[in-house]
Amino acid sequence: MAWYDDDKRMAYAATYDNEKALRRDVERAAQKGFLPQGQTGQSTTEGGVIGAFGVVLGNFRTQKTITVSYVRDPRWLASRAAEEHGRSAKTALERTSKSQRELDAARQELRTALASAESDPTSLAAQRRLLGAALSARGKLSDFIKREAEFENSFRAAAGAHDAAVASAAKAQVLPATPDVASRLAAAARAASVEMDEVARIVPDQQQIVRTFETLAAAQDTRAKKGSDLGKAQAALSATQAELEASSRTPEAPAKRRLFGLLSPRDPAVELDRAGIKLETAQYDLAQAEQHVLGLEQALSESLEIWEERVRSPLRRSIVG
């Protein structure tokens, strides 16, 4: 690769021993954005000028070599800066557009989740879905605001580089977006910032509501289990009572079964007392579970009032409206 093909090179010094090689490099380097800055030689002499490049040619008949320093043409630098900033702005615009699409999808998901919760406010699944949609929307709103700010900075830098390139009569790259696009995205970001504040405010309330629903669901499960335990205790008491009655009618039968190892020795009266204690315990546990559920149902009623005022209404105004 020739030295002037290196886009990262900003300067170069070349030494020539003939005018033909010098002219060739000056012309090719000019096409790549290099201009000759001057020359040094083993002796000084007057000479001609290569076109508009301003290179003073030494008289090779009296001078063995000429060293020419090349630097980047300011117009090339301006065009390169415009190109680099343009690429950055284009990438930032693509990221912002993608983020906006994801935000639109999150908004739609939030609308759907809110509608589901409105149709059945007491559904734990619907309230969980609404919480998840709100958290997702909050994240997408934050990401869109961040991406738009990155694009705005990149677009301003690209516009400035573009104007500088035009001013220097360089070839300016086309901007990746128009001022109208940048203005529209800025307005969308401002609106998103307001939405994000609204969603961020409702998230703690929605989290508390979901926790209340979950606690109530667990308490209802516990109540159901205690009811089942009570049923088992009642059945055990009835069985013990029946066995005690049977023993009183045929006292020799238990003795025969014990003799053959079919029944371990035990006192039916003691077993009856134990079954009665288990029944009382089960009744007490069920009553406690009932009280717990009643308290949580009251808390749920209050939570639904909070949900209506501090979750549903703000969401409908900011996101869904």
Side-chain angles (χ1 to χ4, degrees):
M1 180 177 67
W3 61 267
Y4 40 72
D5 289 325
D6 185 357
D7 287 342
K8 296 181 180 179
R9 189 185 297 277
M10 292 291 108
Y12 187 74
T15 300
Y16 304 94
D17 58 5
N18 65 85
E19 183 178 333
K20 181 178 179 181
L22 172 59
R23 289 181 178 275
R24 180 199 62 206
D25 272 11
V26 168
E27 292 174 357
R28 293 181 180 177
Q31 296 173 358
K32 299 294 184 177
F34 282 98
L35 292 178
Q37 190 177 39
Q39 70 169 45
T40 61
Q42 292 181 349
S43 63
T44 59
T45 178
E46 294 182 359
V49 176
I50 300 181
F53 296 119
V55 178
V56 179
L57 293 177
N59 189 331
F60 283 102
R61 289 172 298 177
T62 60
Q63 191 170 306
K64 294 181 181 179
T65 61
I66 295 177
T67 300
V68 178
S69 296
Y70 295 88
V71 295
R72 283 295 184 182
D73 186 341
R75 293 170 299 178
W76 183 91
L77 292 174
S79 178
R80 180 66 176 275
E83 180 181 352
E84 291 177 351
H85 284 297
R87 281 198 298 268
S88 296
K90 181 180 179 181
T91 300
L93 178 60
E94 291 171 350
R95 290 175 178 172
T96 304
S97 299
K98 178 183 178 183
S99 178
Q100 190 171 37
R101 290 192 298 271
E102 292 175 349
L103 174 58
D104 290 341
R107 283 184 177 130
Q108 183 56 47
E109 181 182 353
L110 187 55
R111 292 188 188 99
T112 302
L114 180 58
S116 176
E118 286 175 330
S119 65
D120 187 5
T122 60
S123 168
L124 174 56
Q127 293 292 350
R128 279 175 173 167
R129 189 159 52 247
L130 179 58
L131 175 59
L135 291 171
S136 176
R138 185 180 64 177
K140 297 302 182 183
L141 284 162
S142 176
D143 183 68
F144 173 68
I145 294 168
K146 176 183 176 181
R147 295 301 182 188
E148 190 283 328
E150 293 174 351
F151 165 71
E152 186 174 351
N153 292 334
S154 296
F155 180 75
R156 288 178 179 175
H162 179 274
D163 293 343
V166 171
S168 67
K171 180 181 178 183
Q173 300 296 317
V174 178
L175 289 175
T178 65
D180 289 342
V181 171
S183 178
R184 176 180 60 78
L185 288 174
R190 289 192 294 271
S193 180
V194 174
E195 292 178 15
M196 186 176 70
D197 291 341
E198 199 70 65
V199 173
R201 277 194 292 270
I202 67 98
V203 164
D205 288 326
Q206 185 63 21
Q207 288 174 326
Q208 180 59 46
I209 289 166
V210 169
R211 282 194 292 269
T212 301
F213 272 84
E214 290 173 340
T215 303
L216 175 59
Q220 289 171 334
D221 290 342
T222 299
R223 181 179 62 180
K225 183 179 183 302
K226 296 302 181 183
S228 176
D229 291 344
L230 177 60
K232 293 177 181 178
Q234 289 172 332
L237 178 63
S238 298
T240 303
Q241 289 174 333
E243 183 180 349
L244 183 59
E245 292 175 359
S247 297
S248 64
R249 291 193 299 269
T250 56
E252 71 283 357
K256 291 179 180 180
R257 287 198 295 271
R258 285 198 298 271
L259 180 62
F260 291 101
L262 299 176
L263 183 68
S264 61
R266 61 177 181 155
D267 188 341
V270 173
E271 291 298 324
L272 183 62
D273 289 340
R274 289 175 179 174
I277 292 172
K278 288 182 179 179
L279 178 61
E280 291 177 357
T281 301
Q283 290 172 332
Y284 175 80
D285 290 345
L286 179 60
Q288 290 293 104
E290 289 282 2
Q291 287 297 115
H292 190 204
V293 169
L294 288 175
L296 289 172
E297 285 177 344
Q298 179 61 35
L300 176 62
S301 178
E302 296 172 358
S303 293
L304 289 176
E305 292 178 5
I306 294 174
W307 181 81
E308 180 68 30
E309 296 175 4
R310 289 159 54 178
V311 176
R312 175 186 175 276
S313 297
L315 277 183
R316 183 154 289 284
R317 283 197 309 269
S318 63
I319 299 293
V320 182

